């Protein structure tokens, strides 16, 4: 969400982002405990009298103002805490920084798109039956919002799954039964490959547009529409005999239309979100290089694991070959000894006759 807000609202400050998350954190976790302390065991029901409720109300007003980084109106009873609020604002800002400074899920869970290449364990989740039915119900209700409404059922994996699941079963709200589910991609690598292809095309298109915009006098395009600007860039390149610019502009325009077709970008907002992503790409080159470095590290980790597994498998095969060779030698020796024994018995038998 933090990264999305930086793209959606390019002028937003770290303090404003902290306020948004701090506001949510306070009302989601702190405020309920303060308003109803008996529910969380802070106070007993007997201790929650009118005097306590009055004091609790004052505390919530002061803390709410602190987490919103504002002082209380002058003249109010609680305004005498404004000095304390100002002194604590720096600590709250530091808390906001720690609150939103989290690792990406891939780093925290140590799972990424390369893990499946070398992992020997299938991913598993523990989930309640009610949570499964809730996801089923919500996905079925909003299927048109998360998939292409005009697409065919057999073309979209999510629509296929929802169609096969049928109606949402009735599960009691009081059900706390947990179940373990092993996650397996029944559609193979097709969906993941498509997403990776679209993501790579998205990044490539951003790079092309940055190159085109650097050379093209956009203010002369006479339009704010992205395809229109790219078409102007093509004509501008032709007029100035700039083959490189023409090639980049044509490729960027074709890519934009492809991404629009698969729903990766949308003309509904006049490509505003996509252009903000391009702007963020320009200003966050260092972060982009860091991301690429992490991708390289993940690939190297996957390669090391695969090489180690290859060596392990080769050793097992070698051990098995030696074992089979030993079995063959033992069997051959037994057969040879048996033939020799039979031959000796035959000689003895003939001698006795």
């Amino acid at each position: 969400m933090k990264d999305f807000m930086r793209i959606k609202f390019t002028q937003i400050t770290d303090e404003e982002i902290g306020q948004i998350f701090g506001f949510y954190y306070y009302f989601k976790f702190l405020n309920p405990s303060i308003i109803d302390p008996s529910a969380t065991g802070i106070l007993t029901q007997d201790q929650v009298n009118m005097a306590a409720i009055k004091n609790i109300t004052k505390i919530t007003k002061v803390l709410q103002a602190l987490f919103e980084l504002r002082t209380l109106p002058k003249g109010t009873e609680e305004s005498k805490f404004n000095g304390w609020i100002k002194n604590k604002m720096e600590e709250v800002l530091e808390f906001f920084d720690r609150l939103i400074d989290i690792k990406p899920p891939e780093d925290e869970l140590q799972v990424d798109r390369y893990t499946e290449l070398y992992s020997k364990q299938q991913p598993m989740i523990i989930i309640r039956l009610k949570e499964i039915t809730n996801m089923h119900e919500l996905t079925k209700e909003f299927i048109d919002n998360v998939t292409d409404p005009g697409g065919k059922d057999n073309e979209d994996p999510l629509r296929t799954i929802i169609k096969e699941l049928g109606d949402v079963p009735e599960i009691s709200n009081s059900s706390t039964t947990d179940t373990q589910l092993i996650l397996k991609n029944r559609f193979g690598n097709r969906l993941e490959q498509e997403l990776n292809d679209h993501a790579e095309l998205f990044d490539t298109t951003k790079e092309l547009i940055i190159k085109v915009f650097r050379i093209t006098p956009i203010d002369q395009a006479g339009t704010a529409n992205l395809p229109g600007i790219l078409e102007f860039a093509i004509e501008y390149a032709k007029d100035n005999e700039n083959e490189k610019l023409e090639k980049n502009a044509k490729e960027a325009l074709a890519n934009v239309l492809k991404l629009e077709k698969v729903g990766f970008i949308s003309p509904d907002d006049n490509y505003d979100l996509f252009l903000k992503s391009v702007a963020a790409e320009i200003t966050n080159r260092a972060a982009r290089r860091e991301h690429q470095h992490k991708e390289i590290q993940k690939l190297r980790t996957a390669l090391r694991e695969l090489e180690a597994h290859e060596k392990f498998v080769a050793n097992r095969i070698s051990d098995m070959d030696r074992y089979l060779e030993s079995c063959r030698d033992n069997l051959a020796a037994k057969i040879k000894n048996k033939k020799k024994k039979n031959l000796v018995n035959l000689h003895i038998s003939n001698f006795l006759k």
Side-chain angles (χ1 to χ4, degrees):
M1 286 183 65
K2 179 181 68 174
D3 295 337
F4 175 78
M5 283 191 288
R6 291 191 185 281
I7 295 173
K8 183 70 175 176
F9 310 103
T10 54
Q11 303 300 319
I12 196 169
T13 64
D14 290 341
E15 182 177 312
E16 289 170 332
I17 292 176
Q19 282 180 276
I20 293 170
F21 282 99
F23 181 85
Y24 170 79
Y25 176 82
Y26 173 74
F27 279 99
K28 180 68 175 178
F29 300 105
L30 296 183
N31 198 56
S33 299
I34 299 170
I35 291 295
D36 189 9
S38 61
T40 52
I42 298 175
L43 297 175
T44 64
Q45 191 66 43
D46 296 336
Q47 292 174 310
V48 183
N49 50 39
M50 289 304 297
I53 292 174
K54 185 177 179 180
N55 290 331
I56 286 170
T57 303
K58 292 179 181 179
I59 292 171
T60 57
K61 287 181 180 180
V62 173
L63 288 179
Q64 181 180 343
L66 175 60
F67 273 78
E68 292 178 0
L69 301 177
R70 62 175 176 82
T71 55
L72 293 158
K74 291 181 179 179
T76 60
E77 187 180 356
E78 294 81 13
S79 62
K80 59 185 177 184
F81 292 101
N82 282 342
W84 179 83
I85 291 174
K86 290 178 181 178
N87 291 334
K88 293 296 179 181
M89 280 186 181
E90 191 66 34
E91 293 182 26
V92 171
L93 284 171
E94 292 178 3
F95 170 73
F96 287 165
D97 289 338
R98 294 195 301 272
L99 183 65
I100 61 179
D101 184 21
I102 59 173
K103 294 180 181 178
E106 295 84 359
D107 295 341
E108 182 67 28
L109 301 175
Q110 296 184 340
V111 175
D112 53 63
R113 55 179 171 166
Y114 309 113
T115 307
E116 192 175 351
L117 296 174
Y118 59 84
S119 178
K120 302 175 184 63
Q121 294 181 340
Q122 291 181 307
M124 181 190 69
I125 61 171
I126 299 175
I127 191 170
R128 291 185 176 180
L129 293 176
K130 188 60 182 176
E131 292 173 331
I132 297 175
T133 57
N134 286 341
M135 285 191 290
H136 183 183
E137 183 178 9
L138 290 171
T139 306
K140 187 172 183 178
E141 182 180 353
F142 298 102
I143 188 69
D144 289 339
N145 297 85
V146 293
T147 63
D148 181 10
K152 297 179 180 179
D153 288 351
N154 59 353
E155 291 180 352
D156 190 286
L158 189 56
R159 285 183 176 272
T160 301
I161 293 172
I162 292 299
K163 185 178 180 180
E164 291 180 358
L165 288 175
D167 296 332
V168 180
E170 292 290 338
I171 299 291
S172 172
N173 289 325
S174 60
S175 174
T176 58
T177 304
D178 289 337
T179 183
Q180 293 182 348
L181 295 180
I182 295 177
L183 304 181
K184 187 175 181 181
N185 186 1
R186 57 170 285 191
F187 297 97
N189 296 322
R190 178 177 67 85
L191 184 60
E192 182 180 352
Q193 185 60 48
E194 287 178 1
L195 290 173
N196 289 339
D197 290 345
H198 296 157
E200 289 175 8
L201 183 63
F202 184 83
D203 291 338
T204 301
T205 306
K206 287 195 294 184
E207 290 292 336
L208 288 169
I209 287 177
I210 291 171
K211 292 177 181 178
V212 170
F213 281 13
R214 280 176 178 166
I215 302 174
T216 307
I218 300 174
D219 56 327
Q220 300 176 17
T223 178
N225 181 269
L226 179 59
I229 294 174
L230 292 174
E231 288 172 358
F232 168 78
I234 295 171
E235 295 302 321
Y236 176 82
K238 289 179 180 178
D239 294 340
N240 291 273
E241 298 181 353
N242 190 329
E243 295 182 359
K244 182 76 173 185
L245 175 60
E246 182 182 355
K247 179 177 177 295
N248 288 341
K250 284 182 176 179
E251 186 177 349
L253 179 59
N255 289 354
V256 165
L257 297 177
K258 287 179 183 176
L259 290 169
E260 182 182 328
K261 186 177 181 180
V262 297
F264 235 66
I265 62 177
S266 173
D268 296 340
D269 61 350
N270 200 26
Y271 304 95
D272 184 59
L273 192 59
F274 174 64
L275 290 173
K276 285 181 177 179
S277 179
V278 173
E281 179 76 18
I282 296 172
T283 56
N284 296 325
R285 287 288 174 167
R288 179 69 177 170
R289 284 193 293 270
E290 184 181 353
H291 173 72
Q292 290 173 342
H293 178 71
K294 287 182 179 179
E295 285 291 297
I296 292 172
Q297 291 299 112
K298 290 175 183 177
L299 278 169
R300 285 175 177 168
T301 300
L303 182 60
R304 284 196 299 269
E305 292 290 339
L306 287 171
E307 288 174 345
H309 187 63
E310 180 186 26
K311 185 177 180 181
F312 168 77
V313 172
N315 289 336
R316 292 297 298 271
I317 292 174
S318 179
D319 291 342
M320 187 60 68
D321 287 341
R322 286 195 295 271
Y323 172 74
L324 292 174
E325 185 65 30
S326 175
C327 290
R328 284 194 295 267
D329 291 343
N330 291 337
L331 181 62
K334 287 181 180 180
I335 294 173
K336 184 176 180 181
N337 290 334
K338 187 176 181 179
K339 287 182 178 179
K340 185 175 180 181
K341 184 177 180 181
N342 290 338
L343 185 61
V344 170
N345 290 336
L346 181 62
H347 285 316
I348 293 174
S349 176
N350 291 336
F351 176 78
L352 293 174
K353 288 179 181 179

